[in-house]
Amino acid sequence: MAATNLQVKKFAAEGLWGNNPIFRQVLGLCSTLAVTNLVLNTLVMCGALVFTVACSSATVSALRNYTPRNVRMMVETLIIAVYVIIVDILLKAYWPQMSSNLGPYVGLIITNCIVMGRCEACGISNPPVGAFVDGFFNGLGYCYILIIIATFREILGMGTFLGFAVPYFSTPYWDKWIMMVMPPGAFFMLGLVVWFFRTIQIEKEKRK
Amino acid sequence: MIEKKWYPIFFMFVVTAIFSSFVIGFTQTTLSRVKANEKLIFEKAVLAVFPELYNSVKNASGIETHNAFVKNIKEPDEQTGSAYSYRIDNKVKGYAVTVKGEGFWAPIKAIIGVDADKKTVMGFAVYQQSETPGLGAEISKPEFRKQFENKLLSKDAQFLTIKRPGSPLNESSVHAITGATQTSVRLEKIINDGLKKWQESMPKETK
């Protein structure tokens, strides 16, 4: 049942680029806007999301032959909720500071469309290993876009990267763009990033 | 079997039971740790409002912080009103007044340290807040908190005032955080309401 190398490559290419959750499917934007004002918060959120997508997709896949079609959505939500609660509890128990930084957004992973999207698109029709790999790379596809957004927002808005002062941007010469760490800054950055990646993608397709 | 009418209900029941018991078990095993973490954050904040105590626990481990709390801090009693107190040989060295109220996004809970003279502020610490990171959330950073040290509780309408950044300060006011107007306005109200409540809960002084 193991996924072949070719399959893994295909899942990776689709999740990271061809069918990227953010700039191609335009899913999961709520958390993209909410948690990208500090790079560290973003990294933890990404880790949580990759874990949730990969594991729930694999679990949905493992149960796919026993799940009646008419209740599959309920089962998927249930499975997703279990993994999200685990992440939430782990953070509360072992990283309380981060848990309070992310506030309600960890719990809100349940409603992140990427997770359910992958369960429906891949988990329900592929063997567990493939579903896990697919979920993992879709999670990563979400991560790198978020990290790009967060890096710009934190540097421009606060003059720091991962909390460390960045030369020039943390000095008085740089008038901090406070708007970048506020919600509107996220909209601008997301728009620019989607525009940028879409343009590259379209150019590539034209040349083919 | 999967075609049977009762199967979806049966399946949901079984799946829910299995996953729920798993989550409940997981919660139970980490519950004490989660509770301890929450308590520790509170204890550390109480210690943080007394500079002389805080310097000894700044980088201390959880258990050291807890021991310092147990050794120095007493629960509220009739002598201290609603405030925790820092005592040496049963003599009150300072009060830790807990204040709470609505912040910009969610409740803010904080502690104000007041000297035994009941006039001088010894320190300020936040132990729960969900303000905007980088803006309102700066209220829990030392740059903001340090401003409160040695301020005097005013006898006017407000004990402490949070003023616009850059404006002149007096002995009872501190600067707000640039760009976090809402948080500052709310925090000012939380602090003053909390201090008022504490003073009302204090026993009347015998002359």
Side-chain angles (χ1 to χ4, degrees):
Chain A
M1 232 171 36
T4 61
N5 267 343
L6 197 70
Q7 255 182 320
V8 170
K9 265 187 193 152
K10 193 179 144 260
F11 283 136
E14 283 285 296
L16 294 177
W17 186 258
N19 207 11
N20 183 286
I22 303 282
F23 65 81
R24 195 71 205 197
Q25 303 176 46
V26 198
L27 287 179
L29 298 189
C30 158
S31 54
T32 310
L33 299 171
V35 299
T36 51
N37 45 12
L38 293 175
V39 177
L40 185 64
N41 293 0
T42 311
L43 286 175
V44 176
M45 186 69 186
C46 288
L49 190 103
V50 170
F51 169 79
T52 314
V53 190
C55 294
S56 0
S57 196
T59 313
V60 167
S61 161
L63 290 175
R64 74 187 188 287
N65 292 332
Y66 312 100
T67 313
R69 259 195 86 68
N70 48 358
V71 294
R72 68 176 200 289
M73 291 284 228
M74 287 204 285
V75 176
E76 282 161 19
T77 315
L78 184 81
I79 292 169
I80 296 165
V82 168
Y83 286 111
V84 171
I85 293 171
I86 291 176
V87 173
D88 199 30
I89 294 174
L90 280 179
L91 281 179
K92 275 198 185 124
Y94 297 98
W95 202 353
Q97 183 58 44
M98 185 46 75
S99 173
S100 70
N101 278 357
L102 291 174
Y105 291 106
V106 177
L108 284 174
I109 295 178
I110 297 176
T111 59
N112 191 318
C113 337
I114 300 172
V115 189
M116 191 149 218
R118 283 344 284 169
C119 290
E120 272 287 287
C122 193
I124 207 85
S125 54
N126 283 289
V129 180
F132 185 90
V133 173
D134 171 78
F136 179 77
F137 281 109
N138 266 278
L140 284 187
Y142 165 90
C143 288
Y144 80 90
I145 301 290
L146 254 72
I147 291 165
I148 293 172
I149 297 175
T151 307
F152 277 101
R153 286 183 74 190
E154 189 176 337
I155 292 178
L156 296 177
M158 300 182 66
T160 57
F161 179 74
L162 280 170
F164 297 105
V166 175
Y168 181 72
F169 287 102
S170 56
T171 60
Y173 296 111
W174 177 255
D175 200 10
K176 286 171 192 159
W177 298 4
I178 287 180
M179 198 179 61
M180 289 310 282
V181 287
M182 306 263 289
F187 275 103
F188 289 129
M189 263 326 290
L190 178 68
L192 289 173
V193 167
V194 172
W195 180 24
F196 178 75
F197 280 96
R198 281 265 174 120
T199 313
I200 305 178
Q201 216 173 25
I202 292 169
E203 287 297 315
K204 262 193 165 173
E205 278 165 17
K206 266 187 199 160
R207 254 180 272 143
K208 268 183 191 169
Chain B
M1 191 164 81
I2 199 160
E3 305 302 330
K4 291 267 182 6
K5 262 203 176 133
W6 51 264
Y7 181 77
I9 298 168
F10 168 77
F11 181 79
M12 267 323 279
F13 192 80
V14 171
V15 168
T16 311
I18 293 172
F19 282 111
S20 307
S21 34
F22 176 66
V23 169
I24 292 168
F26 193 70
T27 313
Q28 287 299 328
T29 51
T30 49
L31 190 66
S32 56
R33 218 190 146 90
V34 172
K35 284 259 182 290
N37 277 334
E38 279 165 9
K39 194 148 180 267
L40 203 60
I41 289 172
F42 174 75
E43 292 181 347
K44 191 149 192 177
V46 171
L47 294 172
V49 299
F50 303 113
E52 53 188 288
L53 287 181
Y54 186 58
N55 288 332
S56 61
V57 299
K58 215 191 272 171
N59 301 314
S61 70
I63 190 74
E64 285 165 357
T65 308
H66 180 67
N67 289 340
F69 181 87
V70 172
K71 190 174 149 222
N72 295 297
I73 308 292
K74 295 283 171 297
E75 302 265 325
D77 57 25
E78 64 273 17
Q79 215 188 326
T80 64
S82 58
Y84 286 72
S85 56
Y86 164 32
R87 297 188 199 193
I88 296 178
D89 301 332
N90 216 19
K91 200 170 167 298
V92 175
K93 287 293 217 171
Y95 301 94
V97 185
T98 52
V99 300
K100 63 180 175 212
E102 268 315 300
F104 188 29
W105 301 113
I108 297 178
K109 294 183 184 173
I111 294 162
I112 301 157
V114 182
D115 191 87
D117 67 6
K118 294 172 201 154
K119 286 193 200 84
T120 319
V121 177
M122 297 175 87
F124 169 76
V126 180
Y127 66 96
Q128 188 189 316
Q129 54 93 1
S130 315
E131 301 307 291
T132 320
L135 293 170
E138 300 286 299
I139 55 172
S140 34
K141 292 272 171 72
E143 291 78 17
F144 180 77
R145 291 176 30 215
K146 284 261 183 296
Q147 297 189 82
F148 285 88
E149 285 171 20
N150 300 320
K151 292 285 169 184
L152 293 174
L153 297 182
S154 162
K155 292 212 162 54
D156 301 335
Q158 284 188 311
F159 297 110
L160 291 167
T161 324
I162 301 180
K163 289 191 168 172
R164 278 179 51 179
S167 55
L169 293 179
N170 63 23
E171 56 184 19
S172 323
S173 56
V174 296
H175 276 147
I177 293 152
T178 315
T181 316
Q182 283 298 322
T183 302
S184 307
V185 169
R186 283 156 208 248
L187 183 64
E188 187 178 54
K189 187 172 172 346
I190 291 168
I191 289 175
N192 286 298
D193 287 355
L195 285 170
K196 192 156 172 256
K197 255 193 205 153
W198 169 59
Q199 288 207 336
E200 283 165 358
S201 74
M202 285 288 280
K204 297 280 169 286
E205 280 184 46
T206 44
K207 292 205 173 143

